[in-house]
Amino acid sequence: MGQSDQIASVDGEIGPAGEATLALPDDGLFRGDGVFEVLRVYAGRPFALADHLRRLEESGAKIDLEIDRGRIEAEVAVVLERVDDDRLVRIVSTRAGRRLIFTEPMPRHPETIALEPVTYSPTVILDGVKSISYAANMHATRIAKRSGASDALLVTPDGTVLESPTSSVFWVAGGEIRTPSLDLPILDSITRRRLLGWIEASEGTWKLDELLAADEVFIASTTREVHAVERVGETTFGAPGPLTTRAANAFAAGRAAELGVD
């Protein structure tokens, strides 16, 4: 499945993604002022669609951006009628009122991933907002790649572990799965929330040194589901470890049950 097969809906006008156009001016493009969601479609079945639409509304409310959920939901349904395979669906709402819904091919990930710690100070005013102002996250990934890693592990200046730029982070210490608490400035990830309903894990505040002493590390996101981490900085881990595998199996089983498939 290539880019030429992708579909786009712009304010309800549907067509090939490569031919979609956006009316200007739009502060979504000019200033990164808007919100977005990315959901995963399995064999034509969207996973956690209602949760993604809810979070889109919540993100919009936090930055005084009105979200026309009913219209977006109807336009997503039209796009999904044309999808019968595995894809991503991205939903964007911009300050100019544009509604963008388009499909993307599933990215391919290696079996394990390496992370590089990157110091990061979140913008408090955007806490919990899935904003299209994503330049800092993407630059953190570029910084990590310069060190030979695949992605970043965001850490505050005082050493508190947060998340990866597009994923939640988990690790295993003393047989216990741990993950940063939502009291910290991290995204309320839908994959993270689902996973915490299907496995036992502790939420809290931990420093990077504590993560580096872990037995296993993994990240979780819409596109990755549960993805084993083989290295953080110079510290290596057995990957995938037994509890990482258990978490991956739990997520796969829960997702299949929710979608009503075997």
Side-chain angles (χ1 to χ4, degrees):
M1 172 103 20
Q3 294 289 349
S4 62
D5 302 308
Q6 304 309 318
I7 304 161
S9 173
V10 180
D11 298 337
E13 294 292 327
I14 196 164
E19 299 175 13
T21 59
L22 179 65
L24 298 177
D26 188 323
D27 274 354
L29 176 63
F30 293 170
R31 299 180 185 273
D33 194 355
V35 296
F36 80 102
E37 287 290 327
V38 178
L39 62 104
R40 187 162 172 174
V41 179
Y42 296 82
R45 301 184 184 195
F47 180 63
L49 173 58
D51 288 353
H52 284 284
L53 292 173
R54 171 191 52 77
R55 191 172 62 181
L56 187 76
E57 284 187 298
E58 292 174 351
S59 291
K62 289 175 180 176
I63 61 169
D64 299 327
L65 175 64
E66 184 176 352
I67 303 295
D68 189 339
R69 175 166 174 169
R71 185 170 289 182
I72 289 175
E73 195 163 2
E75 291 167 359
V76 168
V78 172
V79 170
L80 289 173
E81 287 174 357
R82 293 161 169 78
V83 176
D84 61 2
D85 53 10
D86 292 358
R87 300 195 198 192
L88 301 178
V89 174
R90 185 176 298 265
I91 307 168
V92 181
S93 181
T94 77
R95 182 61 62 181
R98 301 278 76 83
R99 302 179 311 279
L100 315 177
I101 302 154
F102 49 98
T103 66
E104 300 174 2
M106 284 298 307
R108 294 184 178 182
H109 298 298
E111 182 182 7
T112 61
I113 187 173
L115 302 178
E116 180 68 23
V118 174
T119 302
Y120 181 75
S121 295
T123 303
V124 175
I125 200 169
L126 290 179
D127 279 0
V129 177
K130 198 164 176 67
S131 165
I132 60 176
S133 300
Y134 238 54
N137 298 58
M138 297 300 94
H139 190 52
T141 296
R142 287 189 290 271
I143 292 171
K145 288 183 176 180
R146 291 175 195 162
S147 300
S150 303
D151 209 343
L153 174 65
L154 303 180
V155 180
T156 65
D158 72 354
T160 299
V161 176
L162 296 176
E163 58 191 345
S164 196
T166 60
S167 307
S168 299
V169 63
F170 296 78
W171 62 95
V172 178
E176 175 187 72
I177 298 177
R178 296 177 176 175
T179 191
S181 166
L182 292 180
D183 292 335
L184 294 167
I186 63 174
L187 185 69
D188 184 4
S189 158
I190 290 167
T191 302
R192 174 188 181 279
R193 185 175 287 272
R194 283 293 197 284
L195 191 56
L196 289 177
W198 295 327
I199 65 171
E200 291 186 6
S202 295
E203 301 177 71
T205 300
W206 289 281
K207 302 295 187 181
L208 178 60
D209 286 349
E210 294 173 281
L211 181 148
L212 295 178
D215 301 310
E216 306 172 41
V217 180
F218 63 90
I219 57 176
S221 71
T222 292
T223 64
R224 297 177 185 275
E225 296 188 335
V226 173
H227 196 171
V229 174
E230 65 181 6
R231 177 171 63 82
V232 176
E234 299 302 317
T235 303
T236 58
F237 305 90
L243 289 187
T244 299
T245 300
R246 186 183 302 176
N249 291 340
F251 186 87
R255 179 250 299 158
E258 193 166 319
L259 291 175
V261 298
D262 294 331

